[in-house]
Amino acid sequence: MKKLLIFLAMTLFLFSSCELFMEEPLMKGKIYTVIIGLDYENSSHDNLSGTLNDAKELIETFAAVAERDGREYHNYPMIQEEGSVPSVSSFPSNYPSKSNVEYNLAAIKALSTEDDLTILTYSGHGVELSGELVFGTTDPDSDTYMDVTELLSLMGEIKGKKLIILDSCFSGMAVQSSPSSTSTILDNSIAKFFATYYSAETYRKPDLFVLSASAHTDSYEDSFPSTVDHNHGYFSYALLQALGWDHPHAVDLTTVTPGYPPAAKGGRITVDGLYQYILNHQGIDSRFKIFNYTGFHQHPLTTGGALDLVLFSF
Amino acid sequence: MRRIPLAFLALLLASTALLPAHGKINYALDVSDSYYAAIPHFADEIPFRSSNATSISIGAIGYFEPSFSASLDLTALFVTPSIPFGNYQGRGFNSVGFRLRGSYQFNPVVGIFASIGNEVNYYRTIKEAFISFSIQAGPQFRLLDTGMHTLDLTIPITIHLRKEITAPMIGVGMRYSLAPYTKEEKP
């Protein structure tokens, strides 16, 4: 019996030593962010009142988180706000047209290395059922829509780890199904679980993750707090909180110092950590409720599979 | 697809009804805690990722002879997220399933057991589900046997077969069995 216990202890030590003594490949390259917000006030689309607040505050928040992580930070802000449409000749521009987004992502592609992290956030409209993103236009004849697969493809070409954060209606369409697991939000069938297990598609360690505000429904915005005329998307407001942004509104954003991100666990912020925080703190039901019907619900989604991505470590 | 669980349920009910007449039915409660080594089938930063796995099983129906027993266990497994390493961390999950378990006693103290199982697993955070299979074997040491009550110390060695991961587990557990239709042994 004593020998058996010694054998078990040795085995456990041998196994656990893998993580204790192997050199850890921590991602300590640069951080690139492309933060997009559109209020559509110069277009035929419905105006949105929270998207610019989402984008402007995310810019400050990611800068603070990157600084806390001790990593070099480069931001490509792309905000469309009330003003006139800039001319095409002003490229590269921070105007969130489809071509400018493609231009900026191509620029990051040229600069990025395998140690870098690129985050794209989008606060704007999503087209019903397809989830297509709706960009501003610098040319009345150009296409203002971007299919989610096109965005995934552009981000996929960038080296290093990537995260797409979408606060738009039907943004769950950008979350590709995992070859090894099935979203119970979209498909809760045991037959589907078995079909996934026996499918020929194989799981690969993903370097591109998606975090979406909604699954296959609309996403919503509201004023935060309710007594102040300062709107956000429910999802983005919870995301900002998760990253440590919690401040009185109507102040100069550059003077605000975000606090320690409450979504960090053990000094690390992961995609799942953000997802869990948002799910627990968003000010709207995540599921349809029969006995407490409010009419609105939105359920965030994220990339499935066995692994969670570490974004920042402090 | 629904015929299989219905046939299974009918078999279970028939067994439950018939076995007590022979006085050889027992029920069990099994608790174990294991080290969970997730060996990926894909390229990863580390050969395997470590988690802790806690298992609770209920032996819903069992049949026993003096040196042999067989049972159908309903099992719940709770696996923690892996130790963070590099840019990734293995996701934690819960699972429920069933196991067909058999055991054999070499003598009043030492025995072995083995089982096969099928589970539905659920990543707690991201609400995704997946199927897995498992095989388990190990020694067991009888600590108590009164005829009606038995208590075994078990050392389960499990292979958890997921689509993208094979996970050996090794741990320690206790299994309590109750044979309600058996008289207590006389001292």
Side-chain angles (χ1 to χ4, degrees), chain A residues 69-301:
Chain A
D69 194 1
R71 295 163 73 179
E72 195 176 317
Y73 176 64
H74 299 273
N75 180 35
Y76 293 73
M78 304 189 76
I79 291 176
Q80 178 259 305
E81 184 177 17
E82 297 183 10
S84 59
V85 177
S87 68
V88 177
S89 60
S90 64
F91 281 3
S93 159
N94 61 1
Y95 188 78
S97 66
K98 183 180 175 184
S99 56
N100 277 350
V101 170
E102 291 168 346
Y103 182 93
N104 284 333
L105 292 181
I108 295 172
K109 178 187 168 187
L111 295 169
S112 61
T113 70
E114 290 298 335
D115 290 331
D116 296 336
L117 169 67
T118 303
I119 298 173
L120 180 143
T121 75
Y122 170 83
S123 297
H125 279 304
V127 175
E128 189 168 357
L129 300 179
S130 70
E132 280 176 297
L133 310 184
V134 184
F135 289 116
T137 178
T138 54
D139 175 356
D141 297 325
S142 68
D143 186 4
T144 63
Y145 298 92
M146 181 184 278
D147 190 84
V148 290
T149 54
E150 191 179 347
L151 177 64
L152 292 170
S153 173
L154 289 169
M155 285 290 286
E157 291 172 4
I158 295 171
K159 296 186 205 70
K161 309 294 181 288
K162 286 87 64 178
L163 172 64
I164 299 172
I165 300 175
L166 301 175
D167 190 352
S168 54
C169 296
F170 291 84
S171 47
M173 299 300 109
V175 181
Q176 295 183 309
S177 60
S178 167
S180 64
S181 59
T182 307
S183 172
T184 58
I185 309 302
L186 300 172
D187 195 343
N188 218 347
S189 144
I190 288 183
K192 173 69 176 168
F193 304 163
F194 274 98
T196 303
Y197 185 90
Y198 288 110
S199 73
E201 205 179 353
T202 55
Y203 178 83
R204 290 187 176 84
K205 187 173 64 179
D207 58 13
L208 171 60
F209 280 68
V210 179
L211 192 54
S212 75
S214 62
H216 44 7
T217 63
D218 288 330
S219 64
Y220 301 94
E221 55 181 23
D222 205 347
S223 55
F224 294 94
S226 58
T227 53
V228 178
D229 184 21
H230 182 96
N231 284 20
H232 279 288
Y234 281 102
F235 172 86
S236 290
Y237 188 73
L239 172 65
L240 284 160
Q241 285 185 318
L243 292 167
W245 183 265
D246 189 13
H247 72 94
H249 294 303
V251 296
D252 179 4
L253 296 184
T254 58
T255 64
V256 176
T257 305
Y260 188 83
K265 288 182 181 171
R268 296 174 196 240
I269 297 179
T270 69
V271 174
D272 282 15
L274 292 178
Y275 178 88
Q276 184 76 67
Y277 189 93
I278 293 164
L279 199 60
N280 292 342
H281 292 86
Q282 68 175 10
I284 187 170
D285 290 337
S286 58
R287 299 258 199 178
F288 176 82
K289 290 183 177 175
I290 296 173
F291 297 110
N292 188 22
Y293 181 71
T294 59
F296 303 106
H297 68 282
Q298 67 179 56
H299 203 301
L301 285 185

Side-chain angles (χ1 to χ4, degrees), chain A residues 15-34:
Chain A
F15 270 101
S16 56
S17 64
C18 192
E19 271 131 335
L20 293 176
F21 299 116
M22 275 190 74
E23 189 179 353
E24 194 168 4
L26 281 175
M27 185 168 54
K28 282 296 175 188
K30 295 172 186 170
I31 294 172
Y32 297 97
T33 57
V34 180

Side-chain angles (χ1 to χ4, degrees), chain A residues 4 8 12 15 19 24-25 27 161 179-182 184 196-197 199 201 206 272 275 303 305-308 310, chain B residues 35 42 46-50 85-91 123 125-131 133 155 163-164 170:
Chain A
L4 184 67
L8 286 173
L12 278 174
F15 270 101
E19 271 131 335
E24 194 168 4
M27 185 168 54
K161 309 294 181 288
S180 64
S181 59
T182 307
T184 58
T196 303
Y197 185 90
S199 73
E201 205 179 353
D272 282 15
Y275 178 88
T303 304
L307 295 176
D308 178 19
V310 177
Chain B
Y35 169 79
F42 51 87
I46 191 169
F48 51 83
R49 293 180 183 269
S50 302
F85 185 87
N87 304 306
Y88 295 90
Q89 182 175 20
R91 283 175 165 142
Y123 289 124
T125 306
I126 62 166
K127 324 295 180 201
E128 295 226 349
F130 61 96
I131 292 293
F133 297 90
I155 300 177
K163 182 176 180 182
E164 77 285 38
I170 184 165

